[in-house]
Structure formats: structure tokens, C-alpha cells
Amino acid sequence: MKYAILGDIHANLCALEGVLAAIDAEGADRIVSVGDVVGYGAAPKEAIDLLREHGVIVVKGNHDAACVGEIDPAYFNPYARAAVDWTRAVLERVDLAWLAALPLTVELEHCQVSHGTLAHPERFDYIQTVEDAVPSLDELTRLVCFVGHTHVPVSIVRLVEDPTRAAYTLEPEVDLGEVQAAVVNVGSVGQPRDEDRRAAYAVFEASEARVSLRRVEYDIEREAARIRRAGLPDMLAERLFLGV
Ligand code: ZN
């Protein structure tokens, strides 16, 4: 079984089209998203429609939750808050209902999926250190949990030979053969923050216990123009060119 995993799309249509084209070309049995379909970008409706057309299994991110009034955007930075207000205003009721109905976690045959952590998905905490990942590694019922939220691709693994310790790797190819449990952040489709402006996603070959973190180029000029046209803060267009 081959899974393609993508997330933190943030209403970036050109980036999502680029990633889905790459996935379609390679072929995947199942496409999964770690959430944050909307927020920041200017194509929320188009992003939702594309995910539905592709039959993507999606969990809820904090921006998705904020847009349907489940969490208070007062905790967001001003740019994110402006994008939440804009997104709420442009989405139709059917799209807001789709966002509201997204689950916080999903358990599939070979992997689990959550936006922030597996241990407390409703808190939308960030996994930024190996320590942060420990409660989620403890919670795993599958070999690996895919997450997003930080927009930085990284894998945190607990080895079979020493389950008392966990370690991280930034390697794009991760062999889970000797791994007891893993949390893999697949990076962001629509707003990468690791100073690599290309859209990020991952491929998981369950039969080979192998994860591959991928990047694809997309038309940033076109997406930035869409953000400016929508009247969203200019900074949300600028940062796409920098990958921050
Ligand atoms: Zn996000």
C-alpha cells in the first residue's frame, strides 16, 4: 500500500495542483492530508474542491477550526487573523460544513494522522523537539503518525534496539525498518517555513516501511498575485518566495 501525505495547504492552489500532479504521475493507493486546508492563502474553495475530487482523507487543522469558530483566532498573529476573517467571509456554507466535519485524527491500516500531536490533537500543540514527540510516540497504535502544523519536515523515531530513546532526522529518505514508532512531519504544501520555497509532501510505502519527503516547484508569482488581488496582507504573498 502506497500512501501520499500532504498538508498545511493553506489555500495555495498552484502549490496544491503541483503536488497533486506529482502524486497522480507517481500513483498512490491513498492520499491523506494532515490538515490546515485553509487560512493565509486566497483559494480556500478551490483547495477544498480539489481535495474532495481526489478523495483525500483529511484531518482538521487549527486554521480550519478557527474558520468554523471552534477556536478563538485571538491567539493567531494579525496576518493569520485577517486571513481567517477573509476565509470565513468567502466560503459558502457547504464548505464551512465540510471543514467543521473533519476529524481531529484518523487511524488507517498502516499509519495514523493528526495535525499537531497524536497525544492531544484538540490542543493543536507543536512538535518542535524530540521531547515534544514523546507523548505521541507513546500513543501510537501504528508504526508511524504523520503530522504537520510547524510547516517544517522532520522525522522523529524510536528505534527497536533502544525504545527508551528517540532521535530526529532531517534526511528526506527515512527507513522505518528498524523503527518501533515514528512521528513524521511532512512539511507544508502552501507555506513552507524551512527556507525551501518548494511545496512539500511525503510518500509512504507501507510494504517497505519507507518514507520519502518530497518537494515540487510551483508558480509562486501566480499564487502571490492571487493573494494580493484578494486584498490579503502583502506579507502573506511575500513569504511564499522566501519559504518562511
Ligand atoms: Zn498550518
Side-chain angles (χ1 to χ4, degrees), residues 7-10 35-40 61-63 115 126 148-151 188 191 193:
D8 290 287
I9 296 158
H10 286 294
D36 272 1
V37 179
V38 301
Y40 296 130
N62 55 319
H63 287 255
H115 186 63
Y126 293 87
H149 202 26
T150 65
H151 300 204
S188 170
Q191 198 188 89
R193 292 184 192 153

Side-chain angles (χ1 to χ4, degrees), residues 181-202:
V183 171
V184 175
N185 190 314
V186 299
S188 170
V189 170
Q191 198 188 89
R193 292 184 192 153
D194 58 344
E195 299 182 8
D196 181 340
R197 60 194 218 164
R198 296 173 300 167
Y201 71 104

Side-chain angles (χ1 to χ4, degrees), residues 5-241:
I5 309 102
L6 60 141
D8 290 287
I9 296 158
H10 286 294
N12 182 331
L13 181 59
C14 291
L16 179 58
E17 286 175 339
V19 167
L20 287 173
I23 291 169
D24 286 346
E26 182 175 345
D29 299 302
R30 203 160 276 185
I31 311 178
V32 180
S33 177
V34 300
D36 272 1
V37 179
V38 301
Y40 296 130
K45 165 113 186 114
E46 295 87 337
I48 290 171
D49 286 347
L50 260 185
L51 293 182
R52 296 174 78 169
E53 279 166 29
H54 278 75
V56 180
I57 299 162
V58 187
V59 298
K60 190 182 289 176
N62 55 319
H63 287 255
D64 306 322
C67 285
V68 295
E70 290 175 6
I71 60 173
D72 186 353
Y75 299 104
F76 284 22
N77 68 54
Y79 307 108
R81 219 179 312 144
V84 166
D85 292 341
W86 182 89
T87 304
R88 264 182 184 167
V90 299
L91 280 182
E92 292 169 31
R93 198 177 300 170
V94 60
D95 299 314
L96 293 168
W98 183 85
L99 287 173
L102 295 176
L104 284 171
T105 61
V106 165
E107 187 177 82
L108 300 168
E109 196 181 342
H110 306 96
C111 59
Q112 288 162 276
V113 187
S114 180
H115 186 63
T117 71
L118 190 58
H120 298 286
E122 75 289 352
R123 291 191 203 158
F124 297 112
D125 292 334
Y126 293 87
I127 294 179
Q128 288 174 310
T129 66
V130 170
E131 270 304 298
D132 293 341
V134 169
S136 292
L137 289 168
D138 291 342
E139 283 289 316
L140 271 162
T141 57
R142 301 288 184 267
L143 175 64
V144 54
C145 180
F146 293 100
V147 299
H149 202 26
T150 65
H151 300 204
V152 176
V154 62
S155 303
I156 299 169
V157 300
R158 186 181 266 168
L159 296 176
V160 173
E161 63 177 24
D162 185 4
T164 62
R165 289 181 50 225
Y168 78 93
T169 175
L170 299 173
E171 285 298 313
E173 298 294 326
V174 188
D175 179 0
L176 300 179
E178 304 297 316
V179 162
Q180 185 218 50
V183 171
V184 175
N185 190 314
V186 299
S188 170
V189 170
Q191 198 188 89
R193 292 184 192 153
D194 58 344
E195 299 182 8
D196 181 340
R197 60 194 218 164
R198 296 173 300 167
Y201 71 104
V203 172
F204 171 43
E205 280 277 13
S207 60
E208 296 167 21
R210 193 167 49 79
V211 174
S212 177
L213 296 166
R214 310 269 177 88
R215 303 303 278 252
V216 290
E217 301 276 0
Y218 71 96
D219 191 343
I220 300 179
E221 286 287 356
R222 199 164 154 213
E223 203 60 40
R226 195 194 321 270
I227 288 171
R228 293 188 177 117
R229 249 190 343 262
L232 286 161
D234 197 56
M235 184 269 197
L236 295 175
E238 285 301 319
R239 68 191 300 178
L240 298 182
F241 294 93

